[in-house]
Amino acid sequence: MSLAKLRLTPYYGKLQKFQASEDGGLTLNGVSDADFKSVKQICSHLDLTAEKKGDKVTVSKPGHEFFEALDVAAPEAKDKGGLAEYVSRGDLIGAEKLAKRGTVSQTNLFTALLALPQGADTAEGCRLLAACSATADWPSNAARDYFNEKARQAIMLFLGEGKERLEEAKNKDIDALLSTGRCQLDVMLSDGRVKGEIL
């Protein structure tokens, strides 16, 4: 079923609202097998998981246990060992070495990701994520895998696009790029409205 048709179902609004909420789970009652197919498609689109037992469907957010444990006020959190400080200076190699020396808390990992500077090397950013994630204490392997997948996507998009724009700025008039909105300096990742969300 197309996304336009899925949006017309009675489940899309409920699931979209749940996805944007702080809740960890949602139960839908009276869902037929035919409707469950639509619910599964919507959940796939919204990055949710759905499980059917009888006529009840339980919807959850992958990795939610991790985000429950995570301090959402990551920028105000204590930066043990100065990991985010290394990252914000652009010293991702130094930050990677620091991460390999001991356990990185989930809050420090999230804070370090938010400190990534525009224009840092994408490969170094991915290596830093791998080093931090390997030493972090995760509630489950599923939470670790979920975080790694989503954080890697954010790093690749943020640093990759930043690098492209900086390369473009070398060959074009910066004032023209700034006025058209195609180039923005000092862009940073930030935490979103939902726990664990990176903007």
Side-chain angles (χ1 to χ4, degrees), residues 66-67 70 83-84 86-87 91-117 120-138 143-159 189 196 198:
F66 162 68
F67 294 122
L70 182 66
L83 184 64
Y86 273 87
V87 173
D91 185 4
L92 302 191
I93 294 171
E96 181 185 348
K97 289 177 183 175
L98 183 64
K100 287 179 178 178
R101 282 192 213 150
T103 302
V104 176
S105 73
Q106 294 164 350
T107 299
N108 284 356
L109 172 54
F110 194 73
T111 305
L113 287 179
L114 295 179
L116 279 169
D121 184 70
T122 308
E124 288 179 9
C126 290
R127 278 197 309 271
L128 172 63
L129 171 66
C132 290
S133 179
T135 63
D137 185 23
W138 298 100
R144 181 200 61 217
D145 295 344
Y146 178 80
F147 184 83
N148 285 343
E149 179 189 342
K150 300 304 174 189
R152 186 175 172 83
Q153 287 173 2
I155 288 171
M156 297 285 287
L157 287 170
F158 177 68
L159 296 182
L189 292 171
I198 301 174

Side-chain angles (χ1 to χ4, degrees), residues 172-188:
K172 295 188 178 176
D173 180 35
I174 293 177
D175 291 329
L177 290 172
L178 287 169
S179 65
T180 59
R182 296 199 58 214
C183 183
Q184 185 72 36
L185 302 176
D186 299 323
V187 175
M188 297 292 292

Side-chain angles (χ1 to χ4, degrees), residues 31-103:
V31 179
S32 68
D33 289 339
D35 285 346
F36 182 59
K37 289 180 182 178
S38 298
V39 169
K40 286 281 280 185
Q41 280 186 291
I42 295 167
C43 286
S44 175
H45 172 71
L46 296 175
D47 200 19
L48 301 170
T49 58
E51 200 175 304
K52 189 172 190 309
K53 289 181 183 172
D55 69 339
K56 287 186 179 181
V57 174
T58 304
V59 182
S60 60
K61 299 172 183 175
H64 187 74
E65 321 80 48
F66 162 68
F67 294 122
E68 277 296 304
L70 182 66
D71 178 8
V72 180
E76 287 79 51
K78 223 173 181 187
D79 180 25
K80 292 178 186 167
L83 184 64
E85 189 179 317
Y86 273 87
V87 173
S88 66
R89 287 195 315 247
D91 185 4
L92 302 191
I93 294 171
E96 181 185 348
K97 289 177 183 175
L98 183 64
K100 287 179 178 178
R101 282 192 213 150
T103 302

